[in-house]
Each structure stands twice: as C-alpha cells, then as structure tokens.
C-alpha cells in the first residue's frame, strides 16, 4: 500500500494553548480514517493544521512530495475535497448551477450533462435539479455538498462531522461514496463523534484526547473490547 499522506511533527497552537500535540502519521491508498474524541479533543484542530501554513518543525508529504513551497501547496489543495459543518453551497444557485460552478474551478471543460444528472440521481436530488439550494432541507444540502466536494475526484477527502443532518438514506449514500473511494485507492479522513456508521468502511480509528493521540486502531483489531477500553481511557481524561 503506497502512502498518500504523511505527517511529521504536525501540531497546532493557538497562542500559548497547545490544541494539538505533534503527530507522526502515515495514511495510505484505499483507506478511510475516522478521527474520534470528545469535544475539545483536537479533532477540528487536526484539519486546521493540515489546511494552514505549516508551523516550525512540521512536515507534510502528499503523494511523495514535500509540501513546503507555495506551488506544492497549491497542488495539494487542488487534490483534496472538503466538507465542513456548512455544505459550502451558493444558496441562490440551483443544484445544477452549484455543481457546474464548482466543477469550473477545477476544469476548463464544462461538466457534462451525464455526469451532472448521474451525480444528482445518485444523491437522490434528481427531482430538485432546478431548485435553488436554499430551498433544500438541511439533509439535502448536505447531500449536495458531498457531491460537490467530489466533482474533481480528489485524492484526499476531508469530512468534518459529515453525518450531521443526514437521514438513514443520506448516511448510506456517504458510506457508498467512501467504499467507492476505498476501491479506487483514494484516501478519506472523517472527523466524527460516533463510529457506528463507519464500522463497515473505516480502515483505522484514531482517538484524540486533550490534543493527544491516545489510540490508533486498525479495523481488523477494532473489536467491542477495544472500543470499551478506548472509552475508558477517554473517561479518565
């Protein structure tokens, strides 16, 4: 398994407060990584550290390239997709217009009608194609945001609490997306408060507490006993 993302001494401080202690991690092709932990554990700080200028002493390698120059960082950002707490949509544009607009950021060629219609049908939004995004429910906006973030087939997909607002069908859509990416040798990293929706697709489970990595468990060893032990560790914190 080839490495896609390697972190060396990646950390995040806010003034004098250490939000994320230095991490050394390697993530490979075809993996879905779950980042878990209580509120204030450093989960969001992990993403912020990835997406911000690197602090002194930290190193980031993506697809074997050291991300230290502006050009390398632009290539890195162009190869990732992101969905945060907000789906990141233009609310006054229709579903179709949102996808065409976002796709134009990554390609000189227009988004094909087939890709557009197939993606909207996949997300259960085919019948809302010409409706403005603001008219969608919270869950439908989240579905459109997920589709939007994958239009350019990113090597790295970052998801911050992607379950928020999704009904059971939306969660099944998300898991299907992750399974397809695993099969294609791509990397996905999801911050989540619950592991249950990801149990059939995640490759590793990383637990943070007070900015420190307290567990890194591969799916083959992620038994109910392991889950209970981790919860005990987190309670003691």
């Amino acid at each position: 398994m080839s490495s896609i993302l390697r972190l060396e001494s990646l950390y995040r401080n806010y003034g004098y407060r250490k939000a994320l202690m230095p991490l050394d991690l390697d993530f490979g092709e075809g993996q879905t990584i779950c980042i878990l932990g209580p509120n204030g554990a450093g989960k969001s700080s992990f993403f912020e550290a990835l997406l911000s200028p690197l602090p002194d002493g930290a190193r980031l390698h993506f697809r074997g390239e050291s991300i230290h120059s502006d050009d390398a960082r632009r290539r890195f950002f162009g190869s990732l997709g992101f969905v945060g707490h907000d789906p990141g949509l233009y609310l006054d544009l229709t579903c179709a217009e949102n996808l065409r607009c976002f796709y134009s950021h990554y390609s000189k060629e227009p988004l094909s009608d087939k890709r557009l219609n197939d993606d909207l049908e996949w997300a259960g939004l085919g019948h809302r194609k010409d409706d403005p995004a603001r008219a969608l429910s919270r869950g439908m906006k989240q579905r459109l945001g997920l589709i939007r973030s994958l239009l350019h087939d990113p090597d790295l997909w970052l998801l911050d609490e992607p379950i928020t607002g999704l009904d059971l069908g939306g969660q099944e859509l998300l898991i299907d997306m992750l399974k397809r990416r695993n099969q294609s040798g791509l990397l996905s990293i999801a911050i989540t408060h619950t592991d249950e929706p990801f149990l059939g697709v995640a490759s590793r489970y990383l637990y943070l507490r007070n900015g420190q990595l307290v567990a890194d468990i591969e799916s083959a060893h992620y038994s109910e006993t392991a889950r209970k032990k981790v919860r005990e560790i987190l309670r003691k914190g």
Side-chain angles (χ1 to χ4, degrees):
M1 179 180 61
S2 299
S3 173
I4 289 185
L5 182 66
R6 181 158 58 89
L7 318 175
E8 298 178 4
S9 299
L10 184 71
Y11 64 94
R12 181 73 170 171
N13 295 339
Y14 299 100
Y16 292 104
R17 185 172 72 85
K18 299 182 183 299
L20 184 69
M21 304 301 288
L23 293 175
D24 293 280
L25 293 166
D26 199 335
F27 303 124
E29 295 177 336
Q31 288 191 325
T32 291
I33 311 298
C34 282
I35 310 290
L36 300 109
N39 291 333
K43 301 186 299 297
S44 294
S45 295
F46 174 73
F47 274 4
E48 290 178 7
L50 277 180
L51 300 175
S52 302
L54 293 175
D56 292 342
R59 288 184 173 83
L60 175 67
H61 299 267
F62 184 70
R63 288 288 192 189
E65 180 182 22
S66 176
I67 308 302
H68 65 281
S69 67
D70 289 342
D71 286 343
R73 199 147 191 87
R74 278 192 290 270
R75 286 190 292 272
F76 171 59
F77 285 139
S79 297
L80 65 83
F82 177 77
V83 175
H85 296 284
D86 187 295
L89 304 171
Y90 294 116
L91 296 180
D92 290 328
L93 298 185
T94 67
C95 294
E97 289 169 341
N98 263 281
L99 297 188
R100 292 190 189 283
C101 179
F102 281 106
Y103 188 76
S104 70
H105 298 331
Y106 296 94
S107 175
K108 295 180 180 179
E109 299 296 325
L111 181 64
S112 71
D113 289 340
K114 184 178 187 312
R115 173 73 185 273
L116 173 69
N117 292 326
D118 285 350
D119 279 1
L120 287 174
E121 288 295 335
W122 185 27
L125 297 171
H127 64 298
R128 306 298 298 269
K129 173 181 176 180
D130 297 319
D131 291 347
R134 70 169 62 257
L136 301 179
S137 68
R138 174 67 178 88
M140 286 183 171
K141 289 175 184 174
Q142 185 73 348
R143 291 184 185 213
L144 186 60
L146 293 172
I147 290 291
R148 182 268 306 165
S149 67
L150 290 182
L151 285 172
H152 57 305
D153 301 317
D155 287 348
L156 173 60
W157 197 25
L158 301 179
L159 301 155
D160 192 354
E161 296 293 346
I163 298 298
T164 302
L166 291 179
D167 59 10
L168 183 58
Q171 292 182 32
E172 291 174 349
L173 169 69
L174 171 62
I175 298 306
D176 186 36
M177 291 174 165
L178 291 170
K179 286 180 177 178
R180 293 189 187 194
R181 287 180 55 81
N182 287 355
Q183 293 165 0
S184 298
L186 303 174
L187 173 63
S188 307
I189 303 177
I191 289 173
T192 177
H193 280 293
T194 177
D195 58 3
E196 291 183 0
F198 300 92
L199 291 178
V201 69
S203 313
R204 290 165 65 185
Y205 301 85
L206 277 60
Y207 281 85
L208 297 173
R209 184 191 67 187
N210 298 328
Q212 293 184 312
L213 181 66
V214 297
D216 181 355
I217 309 172
E218 294 185 2
S219 58
H221 305 292
Y222 197 61
S223 63
E224 185 57 34
T225 299
R227 295 169 75 194
K228 288 180 179 178
K229 287 183 177 179
V230 171
R231 286 195 288 268
E232 289 175 5
I233 292 172
L234 295 178
R235 280 197 295 270
K236 292 176 181 177

